[in-house]
C-alpha cells in the first residue's frame, strides 16, 4: 500500500513538472513572454496557414488590448535582459515574417490605432520585390515592402533579419549561412536601415540537433552579430531568455479560430495534450 502511494505521489510530481515545462503555468507573469508569429494580412477575407484576415486580426488585437497585454520589440526584451529587469505581466511580442506589403498597408495603421508594437523579420535581399520563393502558401499577390515603407513604419515596427533570399538554413553549409548574413548586413548598410540583430529562421529551419555542428552554427550567428534567433516551437518563453538562439514562437495561423488563438496566448498551443 505504501509503495502504491509513493508511486502515485511520484506520478503527480512528474505530471506537474511536465505541465510546467509545456505551459509555464507555475512561473510568475513577469517571467514569461509570448512571441506570436504572423505573416500576411488579407483585406478580402482570404485565409490560409500564413494569411490572416484583417477582421480576425482586429479581433485578436481587441482581445490583447482588453486583457492588458503589453507589446514589446525584441530590442525591448534585450534591454530588459541586459538590465536584469523583469517583464511587465502579460508581455507579448508580435512578429511578422517576410515583410509583405500588407504589413505596411494594413498592419501599420492597426498598430497605430491600438498603440501596439510589432517586429517585422524582413527578407533583406528582396526589398520592394515580388515574392520569388516557392511554397504552398505563396501566390502572385505577395509583394514585399520597399525601402521608403520600411523607414516609414519605424515608429511602431522594428525590423529584424529573415535571411537574404528566404533560404532554409537547415539546408545550407556554415559558410553559406555566414555569406547569407554578410549579404544581409551589406543591404542594411547600403540602404541605411535600422535593423535589430534578431533573426527569424525561415521555415523554422536551423541546425536543430545538439552537438558540434549546432555549436558551430551558433558560433556563426554570434560572429555575425546576431543577438537572438527565433524558431517556432509553440511554447511560452521563460524570461530572461536562456538560449538566445532557440527562442520559441507561437504560430498564429489564419485558419485558427478565436478559441484557438486564446488557447495559444494563454498556454502556448491549442492542443494541450
Amino acid at each position: 500500500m505504501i509503495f502504491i502511494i509513493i508511486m502515485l505521489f511520484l506520478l503527480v510530481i512528474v505530471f506537474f513538472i511536465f505541465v510546467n515545462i509545456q505551459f509555464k503555468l507555475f512561473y510568475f507573469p513577469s517571467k514569461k513572454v509570448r512571441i506570436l508569429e504572423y505573416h500576411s494580412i488579407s483585406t478580402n477575407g482570404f485565409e490560409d496557414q500564413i494569411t490572416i484576415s484583417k477582421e480576425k486580426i482586429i479581433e485578436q488585437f481587441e482581445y490583447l488590448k482588453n486583457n492588458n497585454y503589453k507589446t514589446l520589440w525584441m530590442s525591448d526584451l534585450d534591454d530588459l535582459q541586459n538590465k536584469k529587469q523583469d517583464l511587465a505581466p502579460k508581455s507579448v511580442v508580435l512578429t511578422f515574417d517576410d515583410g509583405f506589403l500588407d504589413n505596411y498597408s494594413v498592419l501599420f495603421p492597426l498598430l497605430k490605432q491600438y498603440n501596439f508594437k510589432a517586429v517585422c523579420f524582413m527578407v533583406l535581399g528582396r526589398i520592394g520585390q515580388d515574392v520569388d520563393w516557392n511554397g504552398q502558401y505563396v501566390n502572385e499577390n505577395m509583394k514585399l515592402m520597399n525601402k521608403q515603407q520600411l523607414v516609414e513604419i519605424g515608429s511602431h515596427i522594428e525590423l529584424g533579419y529573415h535571411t537574404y533570399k528566404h533560404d532554409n538554413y537547415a539546408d545550407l553549409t556554415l559558410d553559406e549561412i555566414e555569406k547569407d548574413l554578410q549579404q544581409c548586413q551589406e543591404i542594411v548598410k547600403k540602404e541605411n536601415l535600422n535593423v535589430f540583430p534578431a533573426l527569424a529562421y525561415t521555415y523554422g529551419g536551423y541546425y536543430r540537433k545538439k552537438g558540434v555542428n549546432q555549436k558551430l552554427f551558433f558560433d556563426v550567428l554570434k560572429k555575425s552579430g546576431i543577438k537572438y534567433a527565433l524558431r517556432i516551437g509553440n511554447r511560452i518563453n521563460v524570461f530572461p531568455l536562456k538560449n538566445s538562439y532557440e527562442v520559441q514562437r507561437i504560430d498564429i495561423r489564419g485558419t485558427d479560430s478565436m478559441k484557438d488563438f486564446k488557447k495559444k496566448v494563454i498556454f502556448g498551443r491549442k492542443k494541450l495534450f
Side-chain angles (χ1 to χ4, degrees):
M1 185 65 180
I2 295 177
F3 175 77
I4 295 175
I5 293 174
I6 292 174
M7 290 302 297
L8 289 174
F9 179 72
L10 291 175
L11 285 173
V12 170
I13 291 176
V14 170
F15 173 77
F16 279 110
I17 291 173
F18 170 79
V19 168
N20 197 38
I21 291 172
Q22 293 290 318
F23 310 120
K24 313 298 188 294
L25 294 181
F26 305 115
Y27 285 92
F28 290 112
S30 61
K31 297 296 184 182
K32 296 191 288 187
V33 58
R34 297 154 172 86
I35 303 180
L36 309 186
E37 178 194 13
Y38 295 89
H39 289 76
S40 181
I41 306 171
S42 72
T43 56
N44 61 2
F46 175 76
E47 295 176 335
D48 63 12
Q49 180 172 323
I50 69 168
T51 309
I52 188 170
S53 68
K54 180 179 179 181
E55 292 77 14
K56 185 173 286 185
I57 201 168
I58 287 175
E59 188 178 8
Q60 293 178 359
F61 281 10
E62 283 288 326
Y63 173 81
L64 296 175
K65 177 184 176 181
N66 293 336
N67 286 276
N68 301 312
Y69 281 89
K70 178 180 175 59
T71 59
L72 301 172
W73 285 335
M74 287 302 299
S75 60
D76 295 327
L77 287 183
D78 183 58
D79 186 53
L80 290 169
Q81 183 141 325
N82 290 335
K83 293 178 179 177
K84 298 182 179 180
Q85 296 178 347
D86 286 339
L87 296 166
K90 295 187 174 182
S91 290
V92 62
V93 181
L94 306 174
T95 69
F96 290 77
D97 284 3
D98 300 327
F100 292 116
L101 180 58
D102 54 61
N103 289 182
Y104 170 78
S105 60
V106 183
L107 174 64
F108 181 44
L110 288 176
L111 294 174
K112 289 192 288 186
Q113 177 183 337
Y114 285 90
N115 195 27
F116 280 0
K117 293 179 175 182
V119 180
C120 175
F121 291 102
M122 185 72 194
V123 181
L124 288 159
R126 295 294 180 265
I127 293 174
Q129 300 179 23
D130 293 344
V131 170
D132 67 350
W133 53 87
N134 296 321
Q136 182 179 357
Y137 303 99
V138 172
N139 61 65
E140 67 277 4
N141 296 319
M142 290 182 166
K143 301 179 183 296
L144 303 184
M145 291 180 282
N146 61 35
K147 177 188 174 181
Q148 181 180 345
Q149 291 161 344
L150 292 176
V151 172
E152 187 177 338
I153 63 178
S155 60
H156 288 73
I157 299 179
E158 178 174 74
L159 301 181
Y161 291 77
H162 200 44
T163 77
Y164 184 73
K165 56 185 179 69
H166 208 267
D167 283 325
N168 187 337
Y169 277 2
D171 299 330
L172 301 184
T173 66
L174 294 174
D175 287 341
E176 289 171 332
I177 293 168
E178 186 171 2
K179 176 63 176 178
D180 184 271
L181 290 169
Q182 288 174 351
Q183 289 177 305
C184 288
Q185 290 164 348
E186 288 168 3
I187 291 294
V188 170
K189 183 176 180 180
K190 176 184 175 183
E191 301 296 342
N192 193 29
L193 293 171
N194 185 15
V195 182
F196 183 75
L199 163 74
Y201 300 123
T202 52
Y203 309 104
Y206 69 106
Y207 285 37
R208 288 178 177 268
K209 187 176 180 179
K210 295 187 182 301
V212 174
N213 287 338
Q214 187 186 77
K215 182 182 183 304
L216 292 173
F217 170 67
F218 290 162
D219 286 344
V220 168
L221 298 184
K222 184 176 181 179
K223 178 182 176 182
S224 301
I226 300 298
K227 289 188 174 183
Y228 301 94
L230 288 71
R231 49 172 293 184
I232 301 177
N234 288 319
R235 297 287 190 278
I236 295 169
N237 293 282
V238 176
F239 191 81
L241 303 170
K242 292 183 178 179
N243 191 335
S244 57
Y245 294 147
E246 290 187 297
V247 180
Q248 302 204 60
R249 293 194 289 174
I250 301 167
D251 179 23
I252 305 299
R253 302 186 175 192
T255 52
D256 287 340
S257 67
M258 194 59 196
K259 183 178 179 180
D260 293 335
F261 176 76
K262 291 177 181 178
K263 284 182 180 179
K264 287 184 174 184
V265 171
I266 295 171
F267 301 111
R269 58 199 305 183
K270 66 180 181 181
K271 292 184 178 180
L272 304 185
F273 298 102

